[in-house]
Amino acid sequence: MADNNIYGEFKTEIVKPENIEKRSFEIILEELNQMGIKLPEKEDKIIRRCIHTSADFDYAKTLRFSENAVDICKDLIKKGASIITDTNMAKAGINEKRLSNFGGKVYCFMADPAVAAEAKERGVTRATVSMEKASQLPGKKIFASGNAPTALIRLYEMYKEGIFIPDFIIGVPVGFVNVEAAKDIIMTTDIPYIINKGRKGGSNIAAAICNSLIYDIPVDN
Amino acid sequence: MADNNIYGEFKTEIVKPENIEKRSFEIILEELNQMGIKLPEKEDKIIRRCIHTSADFDYAKTLRFSENAVDICKDLIKKGASIITDTNMAKAGINEKRLSNFGGKVYCFMADPAVAAEAKERGVTRATVSMEKASQLPGKKIFASGNAPTALIRLYEMYKEGIFIPDFIIGVPVGFVNVEAAKDIIMTTDIPYIINKGRKGGSNIAAAICNSLIYDIPVDN
C-alpha cells in the first residue's frame, strides 16, 4: 500500500529511496505486458535498464544481441576486461568501482589533448583516433560507443584490415549522420555485439548497458 | 555534394568532423519541417540540441519554457552563475571550461560520502541532501536535474518553506516514480524553468540544455 505526499493538486507516491529503482523496473514490466511485449529472458534486464534510463519503450524493439552476447560480455567482465567509451559522460555513468572488483577499468581518450591534436592534423574525428589508441591497451577490451558513429566505423575498418579485433562492441551511438550505417556494418562482422538499431542511443544508454552487465555478476567477498 | 564511403552494401556520407554537428542540426530542421513543426525562435536551439542528443523528436512537443526562460538563464550564466547537477554524468557532459569563461562552475554532490551517509541516516535520497547542500553555495545557482525527481521535490519544498529560492531550474529527470508530478509542481512556482513534461529526460538532456545555453553566449577574448 503506497502512501502519498500531497503538494497542492499534485500527489507523489512515497517510495523508500532504496526501492525507487525496483519500483521503476516493475512499472516498466507492467507496461510492457500491457503492450503485449514479452522480453527474452537473458536480455530482459539490459532492455529494461535502457527503458529505465530513457523512459523510451522503443528500446524494447530496437536492441539487437548477437548470439549469446549477454553471456559473452559478462564472461569478459568477469575475466577483467576493460571498457572503452567514446564520451566522458558514458565513462562517468559506468560503475567503475564495481567493475574494478573483476580487474577492469573504464577508459575514454576523447579529452586527451594528443588525441585532439592528431585528429585535427589528420582531418578525422577524435573518436577515430581514440579507438586506435584504445586498440593498443593491454587485456580484453569491450568498446561502448554511445556517441560517435566514427568510433564504430574505425573499429570496423581495423577489423577488416586485420589490424585489430575488438572483443565486444556495445554500439549505441545516437544521431543523424552515418549512425544507422555504422551500427549495421558492425552487425555484418563476427564480433559479438549489443547494438541499438536505428538512430537512437546515447551515452546514457551505453552506460546503462554496461552497468546492467556489471550488476548482474555476483561479487565474491 | 556529399561523397560516400562504401562498406560492402552500406554507404556512409563523408562529412568533415567539424561539420557533423551542423549537418545533424540541418537534418533535424528538415525533418521537423516535414512534420509541419515550426519551433519557437528563442527556444529553437535548445529543442534541436535535445533532439540531437536523443534522436527523439518528442522533445519538440514536450519541452516547456517559463516566460523569457532562455534570456533569463543566459543572463545568469553571463553573470557567473554555477550549475548544480544531480548526476556525475550530467556534470561530465556540461562544457565547464566554456562556462568558466563567465565565472561559473559545475557542481554535483551525489558521490559525496557525507551526503550518502546523511541520506541513509535520514531515510531520504542522496539527491534530497545534495540539493540542501547546493542551496548553501555562494552566488547565483542554476539547478539541472536529469535524474532524480526527489531533487526537484526538495527544491520545491525549500521554496515553499521560504528557506531557499533557486535562481533557475532545468527540470528534466527521467523515469517512472514521481517524475511527472515533480516536474508539474515546479511549474506552479514563479521560479524560472525549462522543463520536459512527462517521463522523458535524462542526464544527457540536462547537459544538452546547459550546453546549448552556454554555447549561445559569445566569449570575449
Side-chain angles (χ1 to χ4, degrees):
Chain A
M1 189 132 57
D3 286 329
N4 296 303
N5 269 327
I6 312 289
Y7 298 94
E9 59 182 306
F10 301 101
K11 208 167 69 173
T12 62
E13 189 182 339
I14 298 177
V15 181
K16 283 190 184 162
E18 61 270 29
N19 293 334
I20 294 174
E21 187 169 292
K22 185 167 163 275
R23 179 79 192 107
S24 300
F25 275 76
E26 284 168 6
I27 294 171
I28 294 165
L29 184 61
E30 285 163 22
E31 297 197 16
L32 285 167
N33 284 338
Q34 283 161 21
M35 294 176 205
I37 297 172
K38 184 154 170 41
L39 298 179
E41 202 182 327
K42 283 242 164 113
E43 294 83 6
D44 172 272
K45 282 184 191 166
I46 292 173
I47 299 170
R48 278 204 274 163
R49 190 168 286 275
C50 289
I51 297 171
H52 175 254
T53 205
S54 64
D56 189 337
F57 283 85
D58 277 4
Y59 289 102
K61 295 172 197 163
T62 51
L63 280 162
R64 299 285 181 273
F65 300 79
S66 62
E67 208 182 330
N68 291 321
V70 176
D71 287 339
I72 291 168
C73 199
K74 281 165 62 177
D75 199 52
L76 283 165
I77 293 170
K78 259 187 252 177
K79 289 180 176 157
S82 284
I83 299 174
I84 298 101
T85 67
D86 63 349
T87 60
N88 275 302
M89 269 192 92
K91 182 175 189 291
I94 295 171
N95 194 330
E96 186 166 18
K97 195 177 160 195
R98 176 125 186 180
L99 179 69
S100 70
N101 284 304
F102 313 106
K105 289 180 136 192
V106 185
Y107 295 93
C108 176
F109 298 117
M110 294 295 283
D112 184 325
V115 166
E118 183 178 337
K120 198 172 175 185
E121 194 187 314
R122 289 167 52 194
V124 299
T125 68
R126 283 180 296 149
T128 298
V129 181
S130 292
M131 292 303 111
E132 293 169 3
K133 190 172 159 89
S135 73
Q136 306 295 320
L137 288 169
K140 296 284 181 187
K141 290 174 275 300
I142 298 162
F143 290 82
S145 162
N147 185 58
T150 53
L152 297 186
I153 291 170
R154 189 62 192 127
L155 290 174
Y156 175 83
E157 288 171 343
M158 289 194 288
Y159 165 87
K160 271 294 180 193
E161 292 160 12
I163 332 178
F164 175 66
I165 304 173
D167 296 297
F168 199 95
I169 292 180
I170 296 169
V172 293
V174 59
F176 297 86
V177 177
N178 295 331
V179 165
E180 295 179 83
K183 294 168 176 172
D184 289 340
I185 57 172
I186 296 298
M187 290 192 279
T188 66
T189 70
D190 56 8
I191 304 165
Y193 64 77
I194 299 174
I195 275 177
N196 191 58
K197 275 283 281 183
R199 288 171 163 179
K200 287 185 180 174
S203 299
N204 52 340
I205 298 294
I209 294 171
C210 292
N211 286 335
S212 181
L213 291 158
I214 297 168
Y215 294 151
D216 211 27
I217 307 170
V219 179
D220 298 329
N221 283 314
Chain B
M1 188 130 57
D3 285 329
N4 296 302
N5 269 327
I6 311 290
Y7 299 94
E9 59 182 307
F10 301 101
K11 206 169 70 174
T12 61
E13 188 182 340
I14 298 176
V15 181
K16 283 192 183 160
E18 61 271 30
N19 293 334
I20 294 174
E21 187 171 291
K22 184 167 164 277
R23 179 80 192 107
S24 300
F25 276 75
E26 283 168 5
I27 294 171
I28 294 165
L29 183 61
E30 284 162 23
E31 297 197 15
L32 285 167
N33 284 339
Q34 283 161 21
M35 294 175 204
I37 297 172
K38 182 154 170 43
L39 299 179
E41 203 183 326
K42 282 241 165 113
E43 293 83 7
D44 172 272
K45 282 184 191 166
I46 292 173
I47 299 170
R48 277 203 274 163
R49 189 168 287 275
C50 289
I51 296 171
H52 176 253
T53 203
S54 64
D56 189 338
F57 282 85
D58 277 5
Y59 289 101
K61 295 172 196 161
T62 51
L63 280 162
R64 299 284 181 272
F65 299 79
S66 62
E67 207 183 330
N68 291 322
V70 176
D71 287 339
I72 291 169
C73 199
K74 279 166 62 178
D75 199 52
L76 283 164
I77 293 169
K78 260 187 251 177
K79 289 179 175 158
S82 283
I83 298 175
I84 298 102
T85 68
D86 64 348
T87 59
N88 276 304
M89 269 192 93
K91 182 176 188 290
I94 295 171
N95 193 330
E96 186 166 18
K97 194 177 162 196
R98 177 123 185 182
L99 179 69
S100 71
N101 285 305
F102 313 107
K105 288 180 134 190
V106 185
Y107 295 93
C108 176
F109 299 117
M110 295 294 284
D112 183 326
V115 166
E118 183 179 337
K120 198 172 177 186
E121 194 187 314
R122 288 167 55 192
V124 297
T125 66
R126 284 180 296 150
T128 298
V129 181
S130 292
M131 292 302 111
E132 293 169 3
K133 190 173 160 89
S135 73
Q136 306 295 320
L137 289 169
K140 296 286 181 187
K141 291 174 274 300
I142 298 162
F143 290 82
S145 163
N147 186 58
T150 53
L152 296 187
I153 291 171
R154 189 63 193 126
L155 290 175
Y156 175 82
E157 289 170 343
M158 290 194 287
Y159 164 86
K160 271 295 182 193
E161 292 161 12
I163 334 177
F164 174 66
I165 305 174
D167 296 297
F168 199 94
I169 292 179
I170 295 168
V172 293
V174 59
F176 298 86
V177 177
N178 296 330
V179 165
E180 294 178 83
K183 292 168 178 174
D184 288 341
I185 57 172
I186 296 298
M187 288 193 278
T188 66
T189 70
D190 55 10
I191 304 165
Y193 63 77
I194 298 172
I195 275 176
N196 191 56
K197 276 284 280 183
R199 287 170 163 182
K200 287 184 179 174
S203 298
N204 52 341
I205 299 294
I209 294 172
C210 292
N211 286 335
S212 182
L213 291 159
I214 296 167
Y215 294 152
D216 211 27
I217 307 171
V219 179
D220 298 329
N221 283 315

